[in-house]
Amino acid sequence: MADATDRRSASPPDPASLPVPERLLSAATRLFAQHGFERTSVQELVDAAGVTKGAMYHYFSSKEDLLFAVYQRVLAMQTRRLEEFAEADGPLAERLHAAAADVVLTTVDNLDDTVIFFRSLHMLSEERRGAVRKERRRYHERFREMIRTGQRQGVFRADVPADLVVNHFFGSVHHLGMWYRPDGALSGAAIGGYYADLLLASLRPDPAPTGTG
Amino acid sequence: MADATDRRSASPPDPASLPVPERLLSAATRLFAQHGFERTSVQELVDAAGVTKGAMYHYFSSKEDLLFAVYQRVLAMQTRRLEEFAEADGPLAERLHAAAADVVLTTVDNLDDTVIFFRSLHMLSEERRGAVRKERRRYHERFREMIRTGQRQGVFRADVPADLVVNHFFGSVHHLGMWYRPDGALSGAAIGGYYADLLLASLRPDPAPTGTG
DNA sequence: CGGCACATACCGCCTGGTCGGTGGGAGGAC
DNA sequence: GTCCTCCCACCGACCAGGCGGTATGTGCCG
């Protein structure tokens, strides 16, 4: 379950051995995250991937199509990861903790993807944006169900909407792209641990409600 | 302190009574948030503001200059708000709670600004981006100091870095632009209350440390 | 009558996308 | 085995459009 991070050093010109679509995907991910979707010209992109425009338009119908492909890859990975944790054994609180920590870890291991995900959604067509949102929602709901279950069981406080907690948590995760640096003081795993702790702490049943209810 | 929300219905063609620079600022805020900076052409922008290109380039040196002006306005507002709360009287925990809730409220009342802030940072020149980051950091630090103080006083748990807590919190606030809708089930004030509760709950001294340390 | 606050026509550049071409490998005919 | 054929993956010069930005003109106010 910890072996999905090995495709990481394959960023530069790309070994030429990889198939063209993957090289494009990888170059696009890097450049879109670095300069933004609109600031990355198709020419730059294909140069970075070591292919030509012709090659790109052979596999992707447009620049936006390429962006969408990036989204699909991220979405697929996220979903797969969460499923694994949600369906594992053990006490709910531990599963949630593990899943939360893993989301953080996966996020910092694929920071480029995350940066693009939230920054460039509006560059997708209405239709595709809808598709992304839908998939993303399913993801949220999977997470939310874990929290709801805990609330019903009484192991989590129930005076705060599960939906809100999920949005709260993923907000902080999403924000990682704004401040996390691989060479910083905290490792991805450390941050994951803290974030999961924070989540669980904020869900601990409260003897003295401060809230607005 | 709750009266800064009145500039809200002045969005459409703009009463023509307002001075040109403000009309441009307001149109830019709306359009940049709606379609993104790159997708908004200067022509669209000036049309929406009810002025001409000539007028715009009379007050702003470039499209990016206009974006920067948007940032400056947001920054100024955020800073001013926080100062008020940080320097108020009362117990630390209460001040932090109030400040946190207010950040949320201010954010949802000015959602467009927030959306632009995090989505379009990379469209600014290196220099201006630096300026924005610097100001933003000062803002974070002001918040962090409240938490640190609480940690030293023992009213907040100290086994989690204050910096990380701040980033965690502001991440969730920033994310509001992704899901909050004015016509949704939760009001800005309600969300603010919850978020502040969540923050305080996650800072409550912990009898049984789960953490990674 | 000077100059500030705009108006408008215009420009060159750069971008995403296209389209006729091509080389080389698989495969059928003999 | 060899040749011819075909087609698929890819090439790259080219294009039209739209963009940000400019430059010159003009009316109005002090």
Side-chain angles (χ1 to χ4, degrees):
Chain A
M1 207 172 283
D3 61 295
T5 63
D6 47 4
R7 178 192 25 82
R8 239 192 315 186
S9 49
S11 280
D14 264 318
S17 56
L18 283 132
V20 171
E22 291 188 26
R23 271 194 283 167
L24 282 165
L25 229 24
S26 136
T29 304
R30 185 158 32 96
L31 292 177
F32 289 168
Q34 218 159 84
H35 314 301
F37 176 75
E38 294 288 89
R39 286 271 163 102
T40 305
S41 75
V42 172
Q43 196 56 55
E44 278 181 273
L45 209 157
V46 296
D47 286 351
V51 303
T52 60
K53 264 191 184 186
M56 180 197 140
Y57 280 96
H58 180 72
Y59 291 104
F60 301 93
S61 64
S62 66
K63 190 180 161 191
E64 190 227 305
D65 195 39
L66 188 48
L67 178 63
F68 185 56
V70 172
Y71 272 87
Q72 284 178 308
R73 204 186 51 182
V74 186
L75 248 13
M77 182 193 60
Q78 288 177 335
T79 305
R80 181 166 38 78
R81 281 294 197 123
L82 180 56
E83 295 285 332
E84 288 175 17
F85 281 94
E87 287 165 9
D89 298 323
L92 183 71
E94 277 178 29
R95 267 186 294 150
L96 183 62
H97 191 282
D102 181 73
V103 172
V104 173
L105 197 55
T106 308
T107 297
V108 302
D109 276 345
N110 302 276
L111 254 204
D112 283 354
D113 292 293
T114 313
V115 168
I116 296 169
F117 197 101
F118 293 101
R119 190 205 270 159
S120 305
L121 242 188
H122 63 293
M123 296 301 179
L124 255 27
S125 71
E126 195 67 47
E127 190 189 348
R128 289 178 154 174
R129 212 181 316 158
V132 170
R133 272 206 246 269
K134 189 178 152 194
E135 179 69 16
R136 183 75 187 167
R137 177 142 65 183
R138 290 206 318 133
Y139 182 78
H140 269 227
E141 279 166 2
R142 197 83 187 74
F143 226 93
R144 190 189 61 192
E145 280 321 305
M146 295 178 75
I147 293 176
R148 280 231 180 112
T149 305
Q151 288 178 326
R152 273 193 296 266
Q153 292 176 356
V155 299
F156 296 152
R157 62 190 281 194
D159 63 336
V160 56
D163 250 334
L164 184 133
V165 174
V166 174
N167 277 316
H168 178 86
F169 175 72
F170 281 111
S172 56
V173 173
H174 151 205
H175 195 64
L176 282 166
M178 294 297 275
W179 65 275
Y180 174 80
R181 298 292 167 254
D183 56 339
L186 278 74
S187 73
I191 297 176
Y194 281 127
Y195 272 30
D197 282 0
L198 254 25
L199 175 64
L200 271 292
S202 66
L203 279 173
R204 199 161 4 239
D206 194 329
T210 339
T212 327
Chain B
M1 212 171 281
D3 60 286
T5 63
D6 47 3
R7 177 191 27 83
R8 239 190 320 183
S9 49
S11 279
D14 264 318
S17 55
L18 282 131
V20 171
E22 289 188 28
R23 268 194 285 168
L24 281 164
L25 228 25
S26 136
T29 305
R30 185 160 31 97
L31 292 177
F32 290 168
Q34 219 159 85
H35 314 301
F37 176 74
E38 295 287 87
R39 286 272 164 103
T40 305
S41 77
V42 173
Q43 196 56 54
E44 276 181 274
L45 209 157
V46 297
D47 286 352
V51 302
T52 62
K53 264 192 185 185
M56 179 197 141
Y57 279 97
H58 180 73
Y59 291 105
F60 301 93
S61 64
S62 67
K63 190 181 160 190
E64 190 227 306
D65 195 39
L66 189 49
L67 178 63
F68 185 57
V70 172
Y71 273 86
Q72 285 180 307
R73 203 187 51 183
V74 186
L75 247 12
M77 181 192 61
Q78 288 177 335
T79 305
R80 181 166 39 78
R81 280 295 196 122
L82 181 55
E83 295 286 332
E84 287 175 16
F85 281 93
E87 288 166 8
D89 299 322
L92 184 70
E94 276 178 30
R95 268 186 294 148
L96 183 63
H97 191 283
D102 181 73
V103 172
V104 173
L105 197 54
T106 309
T107 298
V108 302
D109 275 344
N110 302 276
L111 254 204
D112 283 352
D113 293 290
T114 314
V115 168
I116 296 170
F117 196 100
F118 294 101
R119 188 203 272 158
S120 304
L121 241 189
H122 63 293
M123 295 302 179
L124 254 27
S125 71
E126 196 67 46
E127 190 190 346
R128 289 178 153 175
R129 213 182 315 159
V132 170
R133 271 206 248 268
K134 191 178 151 194
E135 179 69 16
R136 182 75 187 167
R137 179 143 63 182
R138 290 206 319 131
Y139 182 79
H140 270 228
E141 280 166 1
R142 195 85 189 72
F143 226 92
R144 192 188 61 193
E145 281 320 305
M146 295 178 75
I147 293 176
R148 280 232 179 110
T149 304
Q151 288 179 325
R152 273 193 296 267
Q153 291 177 357
V155 298
F156 297 153
R157 62 190 283 192
D159 63 336
V160 55
D163 252 332
L164 184 133
V165 174
V166 174
N167 277 317
H168 179 86
F169 176 71
F170 280 110
S172 56
V173 172
H174 152 205
H175 195 64
L176 282 165
M178 295 296 278
W179 66 275
Y180 174 80
R181 297 292 166 254
D183 55 339
L186 279 73
S187 72
I191 297 175
Y194 282 128
Y195 272 29
D197 283 359
L198 253 26
L199 174 64
L200 272 293
S202 66
L203 280 173
R204 199 163 3 241
D206 195 328
T210 339
T212 327

